[in-house]
Amino acid sequence: MYGLYDKEGILRFVDSDKDTCIAYAELFELGSTNYCLMDLANDTKKEKVNTNLDQSLGVNNN
């Protein structure tokens, strides 16, 4: 599985085919310096990421 991220680090597209991700970038005229293509299958095995998105935690509110 591949993920296409823009230069801001936002996930723009996910697909199992690398060429499809590149075609998506070309469709929206994202030059190769404006995106990053990552192999998500390998990344998920490297480390466990804390995905707690609870916005009600006191430490996250100012």
Side-chain angles (χ1 to χ4, degrees):
M1 189 65 67
Y2 294 92
L4 180 80
Y5 293 83
D6 67 13
K7 67 181 179 180
E8 303 296 322
I10 298 171
L11 180 62
R12 300 285 294 273
F13 188 76
V14 175
D15 197 271
S16 60
D17 182 40
K18 179 180 178 180
D19 293 330
T20 303
C21 289
I22 294 171
Y24 178 91
E26 291 172 355
L27 177 67
F28 289 96
E29 300 177 355
L30 296 173
S32 61
T33 59
N34 292 324
Y35 71 84
C36 174
L37 187 62
M38 298 182 70
D39 186 351
L40 299 178
N42 289 338
D43 288 346
T44 57
K45 294 177 186 174
K46 289 181 183 176
E47 74 179 68
K48 185 175 179 179
V49 177
N50 182 1
T51 58
N52 184 357
L53 300 177
D54 186 0
Q55 296 295 320
S56 66
L57 295 174
V59 294
N60 290 340
N61 293 332
N62 290 335

